[in-house]
Amino acid sequence: MKLTVQVKLLPTPLQAAALEETLHACNQAATWVSSVAFEKDIKRNFALREHTYTAV
């Protein structure tokens, strides 16, 4: 059985700023990883991780 629960985040202003910074950093990392995959023509997940995991 699968149970799905919706929750509403109610962060404090400080927590909201930290969450926004974290999401921005994740997006930048994902964009960089995507560019590496494109530049090196890497199609497989594990191969891409070999090139990017340590830096991220």
Side-chain angles (χ1 to χ4, degrees):
M1 180 168 109
K2 219 178 212 186
L3 180 64
T4 303
V5 178
Q6 277 189 318
V7 296
K8 184 175 182 179
L9 296 179
L10 299 171
T12 65
L14 186 61
Q15 291 170 329
L19 181 58
E20 188 173 347
E21 280 183 48
T22 301
L23 290 174
H24 182 69
C26 287
N27 189 34
Q28 283 183 317
T31 300
W32 175 74
V33 169
S34 177
S35 71
V36 171
F38 182 76
E39 288 170 14
K40 296 183 182 284
D41 195 33
I42 300 172
K43 306 270 192 276
R44 295 178 178 229
N45 185 341
F46 186 74
L48 184 57
R49 279 190 273 157
E50 287 180 322
H51 290 280
T52 59
Y53 187 84
T54 303
V56 171

